[in-house]
Amino acid sequence: QLVLKVASAIGFKFDKRLLEAIVFAECQKAIEGEVNGNYQKTLQQSISNSNMRTKVNKCLARALKAHIIEKTGFSGEYKFSHVSLREQVLQMISEGKEREDLHFQIGKCLKQKISNLSPDTSTDWMIFSMADQLNQAGENTANPLESMELMRANVQAARLACDKGAFQVAVDYLRSAQAVVEMSIFFKG
């Protein structure tokens, strides 16, 4: 269930490598939050990256067989078979902190992926997705450093939208950035 929940939070279409990274991070977070000492190290070793990939692949194979998801034709990219399927899976994540935490984790993971790619690699979809995910992260972006990252993500997405001629989309991202600035001024003053 975790794999499909994370996929639904990523969006209607999702990248398998991003999905694996988020599932791995969510499992690590759960272990760190609930287990202490030597047992934690044992669990962390059992949830290796390759082990996690295998589990994600098995879950995706079952979801493909059940026609919940389908391949898009691009390497490692999947989509939900129908919008309503994605919405039903997304509803399994309780609104509020749990969902906001997941969106925050996805946004941070996308930011890291973008910074690790070579400059000639197309990252357009990641930039838009990163801003969208962080905009849904709620209280996770309340501290000054995270607020600054959220503002930067929205400005970056707005610039990219302008470059593509999507001016209304750019305005929406700039409004989100403005709201972040206004909130940080409000909390400082």
Side-chain angles (χ1 to χ4, degrees):
Q1 262 189 354
L2 174 65
V3 173
L4 288 178
K5 284 181 179 180
V6 171
S8 71
I10 293 171
F12 180 71
K13 290 182 183 176
F14 56 93
D15 177 76
K16 185 173 99 169
R17 291 171 301 277
L18 175 62
L19 178 64
E20 290 169 347
I22 302 301
V23 169
F24 183 75
E26 286 296 302
C27 288
Q28 290 285 76
K29 191 170 73 173
I31 289 170
E32 289 168 6
E34 296 176 12
V35 182
N36 294 319
N38 294 333
Y39 188 59
Q40 182 179 18
K41 287 183 180 182
T42 305
L43 279 174
Q44 285 174 332
Q45 289 168 351
S46 72
I47 301 180
S48 67
N49 246 339
S50 62
N51 190 12
M52 191 58 58
R53 271 191 211 100
T54 302
K55 289 180 181 186
V56 168
N57 284 333
K58 284 180 181 178
C59 182
L60 291 177
R62 286 192 304 268
L64 280 165
K65 190 175 181 178
H67 302 289
I68 296 170
I69 62 170
E70 53 192 54
K71 292 182 178 183
T72 64
F74 294 104
S75 178
E77 187 178 85
Y78 296 83
K79 67 179 183 175
F80 282 87
S81 299
H82 196 279
V83 174
S84 63
L85 281 172
R86 184 233 171 194
E87 290 170 0
Q88 287 176 342
V89 174
L90 187 61
Q91 291 304 316
M92 293 168 43
I93 306 168
S94 60
E95 289 191 34
K97 183 151 176 51
E98 181 184 2
R99 194 177 293 190
E100 289 173 357
D101 288 351
L102 187 53
H103 286 301
F104 181 70
Q105 187 71 37
I106 294 167
K108 296 297 279 186
C109 189
L110 282 164
K111 181 181 182 287
Q112 182 180 6
K113 281 187 160 300
I114 292 167
S115 67
N116 291 338
L117 293 173
S118 64
D120 60 327
T121 303
S122 176
T123 59
D124 294 358
W125 74 269
M126 287 187 201
I127 292 168
F128 289 125
S129 188
M130 174 185 64
D132 292 340
Q133 293 292 337
L134 291 175
N135 283 333
Q136 296 176 71
E139 293 296 315
N140 290 299
T141 56
N143 78 51
L145 287 175
E146 299 303 340
S147 291
M148 193 62 126
E149 288 300 320
L150 176 58
M151 188 207 50
R152 283 189 189 124
N154 278 295
V155 169
Q156 190 177 13
R159 283 186 183 140
L160 184 57
C162 276
D163 290 347
K164 304 225 176 267
F167 300 114
Q168 185 56 54
V169 173
V171 168
D172 292 341
Y173 283 117
L174 288 173
R175 283 189 178 132
S176 294
Q178 179 183 8
V180 172
V181 171
E182 289 171 355
M183 286 304 285
S184 63
I185 290 170
F186 174 77
F187 284 115
K188 282 183 182 176

